[in-house]
Amino acid sequence: MEIEQRKITKREEDENNNQPSLEEEEQETEEEMSGRKTEPWTKQITVRGVLVSIVIGVVFSVIAQKLNLTTGIVPHLNSSAAFLAFVFVRTWTKILKKSGFVAKPFTKQENTMIQTSAVACYSIAVGG
């Protein structure tokens, strides 16, 4: 019942051209997803998740390789890869929404896949 009330409120805000806050949007997404079962892994691997993984993996591979060749230090970029993936995904979704496309938010499983792939890419680039 509460979720339905929030959806009605959101529609009214959209009609008045008021954008809901980021916290409200995240809370609504969490509430909608909390009642669902986790999808099988074959549906969690999406094309957009793979594309974002490739982009972030290439960026981190170049960064790690450059640092390794210039300083000789092999950095651990796990947390920065996770942060960059989050920022990239959030920005991409907002740009699509502002340009008029319907942008489904990335799921937790897609975010995890993106972060794991990015870390694996730069680990392979450094380790060989």
Side-chain angles (χ1 to χ4, degrees), residues 80-93:
S80 58
F83 179 70
L84 183 65
F86 175 77
V87 169
F88 186 80
V89 165
R90 177 69 73 182
T91 304
W92 185 2
T93 305

Side-chain angles (χ1 to χ4, degrees), residues 60-75:
F60 272 93
S61 295
V62 170
I63 291 170
Q65 198 71 334
K66 175 73 173 162
L67 285 172
N68 190 17
L69 291 173
T70 56
T71 64
I73 298 172
V74 178

Side-chain angles (χ1 to χ4, degrees), residues 21-57:
S21 69
L22 184 60
E23 292 82 20
E24 291 172 352
E25 188 176 309
E26 288 176 358
Q27 185 177 6
E28 183 177 308
T29 303
E30 287 293 324
E31 287 175 356
E32 288 176 357
M33 303 217 32
S34 65
R36 296 184 195 166
K37 289 181 79 176
T38 305
E39 295 179 341
W41 69 270
T42 54
K43 292 187 178 181
Q44 293 176 13
I45 299 175
T46 61
V47 173
R48 70 181 183 168
V50 171
L51 291 175
V52 172
S53 298
I54 290 170
V55 169
I56 294 174

Side-chain angles (χ1 to χ4, degrees), residues 88-103:
F88 186 80
V89 165
R90 177 69 73 182
T91 304
W92 185 2
T93 305
K94 283 187 178 187
I95 289 171
L96 286 177
K97 278 185 180 180
K98 286 184 179 183
S99 64
F101 294 102
V102 177

